Amino acid sequence: MWQLNEVTSLLTIEVPIIQAGMAGGVTTPELVAAVSNAGGLGTIGAGYMTPKELQTAIRETKKRTDKPFGVNVFVPEESTGSEADISFANDLLQPFHEELQIEPTEEVSHSSSTFQKQLDVIVEEKVPVCSFTFGVPSQTVVSRLKNHQIRLIGTATTVKEAIINEDAGIDLVVAQGSEAGGHRGTFAASFEQGAVGIMSLVQRMAARVSIPVIAAGGIMDARGFVAATKLGAQGVQMGTAFLTSPESGAKPLHKQAILESDGDDTVLTRSFSGKPARGIENAFIRHLRQHEHQLPPYPIMNTLTKTLRKAAAEQNKPDYMSLWAGQNASLSREVPAGQIIERMVNEIKGLCE
Ligand SMILES: Cc1cc2nc3c(=O)[nH]c(=O)nc-3n(C[C@H](O)[C@H](O)[C@H](O)COP(=O)(O)O)c2cc1C
């Protein structure tokens, strides 16, 4: 049976297909529950949620499914940005502030206490799976979650990062290929070194670590699943494919841009957040491109563009929105999330049996 392996047994799910936790309102309780009800693992993207918002999202998800689901959180990063960096970035953003008629963000504060409070909610609500990106949590955090029987999934963009996850006691690791939509999870390599395609990354990672490897990046259907598992992955994590489902909370203009993508139009950019992320190229990305390496680091730049991104969505200006998408965006369809899983399962059977 192709679907029964370490991923399904560790996560107690039926098929080794994970819907990526996508921060920023995409992962509604409806989406997460639909994926889990179809036998995969739905995941709440909690990166930008307050502890209270996370608690509500978990409770709403539980109303819609009694199957396991996960919560994805951001491991906090130390970052420094001087007042000069902030005013440099605000000068670059000025034409956009003017056009959208909004004020620049001057105050930038970031607290790692939100992360600890998110973990408190995950423990209190007995969420069975917790996944991480942007780093590996401390031993204290790993032990605490494992003592509560929570399965842990890490993110790695190099083999070395996968080894760091394994050594820290993480149960499964996502191999995030450079094809992937959204932010790069790179934390122990340069972003250039960490931009590795799935074909190379999965094969080498699966040969090097004993924990199960889950492939992510450009996987949209059964063909991607079968290819990834042939390379050594025991499961897949998909983001873009679920983003255009009716259950997804992605902004309508974001969905439309993905559905209209020809697949050649995604780029890696630091312009929105200070951290490289893959999305559909637009005027904002082009305008900031030549200054990308002078921008304040994540999460400072992310905070500086927050109001701008929100105003752009409200004013129907996709040219200034972050339209995160993977390199296979052109294979996206407006299909309900449960059907995406069902179709994949049927087609995988055809390709494997
Ligand atoms: C809109 C969007 C938001 C994302 N947000 C997160 C996130 O919050 N946490 C995370 O671990 N990965 C995030 N990712 C990356 C996914 O985990 C995964 O690596 C990626 O979606 C796989 O590539 P694909 O989009 O081609 O399927 C995001 C991806 C997208 C498209």
Side-chain angles (χ1 to χ4, degrees):
M1 292 288 277
W2 62 268
Q3 74 267 47
L4 299 180
N5 62 21
E6 279 183 276
V7 172
T8 48
S9 71
L10 283 170
L11 303 178
T12 60
I13 54 177
E14 288 156 39
V15 286
I17 301 173
I18 299 175
Q19 164 254 310
M22 291 177 272
V26 177
T27 61
T28 60
E30 289 77 13
L31 174 61
V32 176
V35 172
S36 290
N37 285 334
L41 185 82
T43 311
I44 297 171
Y48 304 128
M49 286 184 186
T50 63
K52 184 73 200 154
E53 286 166 344
L54 176 56
Q55 185 193 57
T56 307
I58 294 169
R59 293 187 177 173
E60 289 300 317
T61 304
K62 283 180 183 166
K63 283 184 196 161
R64 293 163 174 81
T65 185
D66 54 6
K67 300 279 179 66
F69 63 89
V71 171
N72 176 269
V73 286
F74 297 164
V75 176
E77 298 166 78
E78 291 294 318
S79 58
T80 48
S82 64
E83 275 182 29
D85 291 341
I86 293 174
S87 79
F88 172 77
N90 270 333
D91 284 348
L92 289 174
L93 298 175
Q94 194 191 352
F96 301 99
H97 292 146
E98 280 173 11
E99 185 169 342
L100 296 165
Q101 298 184 321
I102 52 171
E103 292 299 317
T105 310
E106 308 284 356
E107 286 286 313
V108 180
S109 65
H110 183 67
S111 140
S112 65
S113 70
T114 306
F115 177 66
Q116 293 300 334
K117 289 184 192 142
Q118 288 171 333
L119 298 177
D120 291 345
V121 173
I122 291 167
V123 169
E124 280 157 23
E125 293 292 328
K126 298 186 170 54
V127 176
V129 181
C130 180
S131 65
F132 301 94
T133 188
F134 305 160
V136 175
S138 68
Q139 271 311 300
T140 318
V141 167
V142 170
S143 307
R144 178 178 179 212
L145 297 178
K146 288 186 108 168
N147 285 342
H148 286 87
Q149 283 73 49
I150 298 173
R151 291 291 184 202
L152 308 182
I153 308 179
T155 301
T157 63
T158 63
V159 172
K160 185 176 158 204
E161 289 177 351
I163 295 169
I164 296 172
N165 270 282
E166 180 170 47
D167 290 348
I170 301 294
D171 301 303
L172 310 98
V173 65
V174 171
Q176 189 189 36
S178 56
E179 300 90 338
H183 282 104
R184 306 294 305 144
T186 305
F187 64 92
S190 68
F191 286 106
E192 287 74 18
Q193 286 172 329
V196 184
I198 279 276
M199 179 77 87
S200 163
L201 187 63
V202 169
Q203 213 167 341
R204 289 184 294 111
M205 202 182 284
R208 190 63 182 74
V209 296
S210 334
I211 53 174
V213 171
I214 296 156
I219 299 170
M220 307 296 283
D221 55 29
R223 294 169 299 174
F225 179 98
V226 172
T229 50
K230 290 272 185 233
L231 294 170
Q234 294 200 47
V236 298
Q237 174 159 295
M238 294 155 48
T240 305
F242 289 108
L243 210 143
T244 50
S245 65
E247 296 93 337
S248 145
K251 306 236 166 28
L253 287 172
H254 189 179
K255 291 187 181 188
Q256 189 186 335
I258 291 179
L259 291 167
E260 288 172 359
S261 164
D262 64 8
D264 290 334
D265 48 5
T266 74
V267 289
L268 278 174
T269 180
R270 292 174 196 247
S271 56
F272 284 105
S273 67
K275 187 193 278 293
R278 183 173 294 286
I280 296 174
E281 193 181 49
N282 58 11
F284 184 86
I285 295 174
R286 282 191 290 273
H287 184 83
L288 266 74
R289 177 163 290 141
Q290 59 172 315
H291 304 290
E292 277 202 1
H293 290 273
Q294 297 155 271
L295 297 174
Y298 180 91
I300 296 170
M301 189 64 192
N302 200 47
T303 309
L304 292 178
T305 62
K306 192 175 167 189
T307 323
L308 185 156
R309 286 178 278 124
K310 189 165 175 273
E314 284 164 6
Q315 297 177 30
N316 288 329
K317 295 208 162 77
D319 250 333
Y320 310 151
M321 290 167 62
S322 51
L323 304 168
W324 304 140
Q327 283 183 320
N328 264 335
S330 59
L331 299 179
S332 295
R333 302 279 174 270
E334 256 179 310
V335 176
Q339 274 183 36
I340 295 176
I341 306 260
E342 282 161 29
R343 244 187 230 184
M344 276 180 77
V345 169
N346 287 332
E347 288 174 16
I348 294 167
K349 278 184 196 152
L351 292 170
C352 289
E353 289 167 6

